[in-house]
Amino acid sequence: MTLLDVKNVSYSYDGIVNVLADVSFSVGKGTIVGLVGPNGSGKSTLIKNIFDLVRLQSGSLRIGGHEHASARAKSLGMYLSSNDYLPEFLTAREYVSLMGDLFRVEVDHAEAVGLFRKYSMEGRYDHLIEDYSHGMRKKTQLVSALVMRRPLTVIDETLNGIDLEALHLSEQEFRRVRDEGRSILLCTHDFAVLERLADRIVFLDLGHVVYDESTEDLMSEHGSLATMVFDYIGSDER
């Protein structure tokens, strides 16, 4: 079953140059899809379109079969941005509770406390976010998503800034999310993470989908995802 369906989406900020040009792909239930591409390829604009943060100009976007701007669609997906902007005047407990209210989820704070302990933040769940380091804020974002357990989670470079132990734990948790039949669209420049985690790769460049293939097939053909990306960028095909 398709959870996220992107069809023929184009977008321009100035009405002249398309940042996205006829982009189409899908994310099935119980899959991890990697979204890769150089800076300026359109990844962030695509994510903004998916979550109705900019007005869709052409094409269609559906989440769980629902039009992306509908309340039902928005209840199914959670977006973790690349920045670490969180409400500093709240504690992590208050922030997770707020997310629970927004998504109408009964929050299991014991689970959140357990994740804080696993992420080496034991005893900090009731501290103000303003006292957190950059890495702790990123981990708090991840914990909130793991507790909310939305059918679709879109992660945009959120793994940047966390330590190796936390990265390893995140990979384990993402696999558990997939095993539950939920899906992740993971936008990252860490190709090694995608090689370990992603079922499929969507490669964007200059607003176009260059590749939409299984990670296994791309690895077999190119040897590594890094080689695939850098060979294309250095080729005459762009």
Side-chain angles (χ1 to χ4, degrees):
M1 177 181 174
T2 299
L3 183 58
L4 172 64
D5 190 24
V6 180
K7 283 189 177 178
N8 307 120
V9 172
S10 295
Y11 191 86
S12 172
Y13 288 103
D14 60 8
I16 301 172
V17 178
N18 278 340
V19 179
L20 298 173
D22 202 30
V23 170
S24 297
F25 70 94
S26 62
V27 176
K29 288 186 67 176
T31 59
I32 298 176
V33 175
L35 179 63
V36 302
N39 291 338
S41 62
K43 302 187 301 298
S44 293
T45 299
L46 173 62
I47 292 171
K48 289 177 182 178
N49 271 271
I50 291 170
F51 284 96
D52 197 32
L53 299 177
V54 295
R55 187 179 297 277
L56 183 66
Q57 295 175 349
S58 67
S60 68
L61 289 159
R62 301 185 74 82
I63 301 175
H66 305 278
E67 195 272 325
H68 78 295
S70 69
R72 180 56 180 154
K74 291 178 180 180
S75 73
L76 299 176
M78 187 169 183
Y79 169 36
L80 300 188
S81 67
S82 58
N83 61 54
D84 65 350
Y85 301 153
L86 295 174
E88 296 185 337
F89 54 89
L90 297 180
T91 65
R93 182 185 297 274
E94 292 168 338
Y95 173 69
V96 174
S97 294
L98 175 62
M99 292 296 101
D101 290 342
L102 289 173
F103 286 106
R104 298 182 180 180
V105 171
E106 186 173 347
V107 174
D108 184 346
H109 287 290
E111 178 188 10
V113 168
L115 286 166
F116 258 58
R117 182 174 60 254
K118 289 180 180 179
Y119 274 115
S120 302
M121 297 192 296
E122 187 169 8
R124 301 302 299 272
Y125 191 57
D126 290 299
H127 290 190
L128 287 174
I129 292 171
E130 69 176 358
D131 296 327
Y132 288 2
S133 66
H134 172 71
M136 290 177 66
R137 294 178 188 217
K138 288 295 187 79
K139 293 176 186 178
T140 300
Q141 289 176 299
L142 291 165
V143 168
S144 69
L146 292 170
V147 172
M148 292 305 107
R149 277 299 201 266
R150 296 294 80 208
L152 173 68
T153 303
V154 178
I155 301 173
D156 185 8
E157 298 292 352
T158 314
L159 299 178
N160 288 354
I162 66 173
D163 54 81
L164 287 175
E165 184 179 3
L167 178 62
H168 179 63
L169 173 61
S170 296
E171 291 184 23
Q172 290 179 318
E173 292 296 330
F174 293 167
R175 291 188 185 97
R176 187 171 293 116
V177 167
R178 177 176 56 193
D179 291 345
E180 292 172 355
R182 308 175 197 274
S183 301
I184 295 174
L185 180 62
L186 179 57
C187 179
T188 180
H189 292 298
D190 192 332
F191 301 132
V193 168
L194 293 177
E195 289 173 0
R196 293 192 295 268
L197 279 179
D199 302 294
R200 253 182 47 247
I201 300 294
V202 175
F203 175 24
L204 281 183
D205 184 43
L206 301 176
H208 297 271
V209 175
V210 178
Y211 292 109
D212 179 4
E213 299 181 29
S214 74
T215 308
E216 183 179 1
D217 288 346
L218 289 172
M219 292 281 290
S220 177
E221 181 178 354
H222 299 276
S224 71
L225 295 182
T227 299
M228 178 267 290
V229 171
F230 295 137
D231 282 354
Y232 179 81
I233 292 174
S235 72
D236 296 328
E237 299 178 46
R238 296 184 77 187

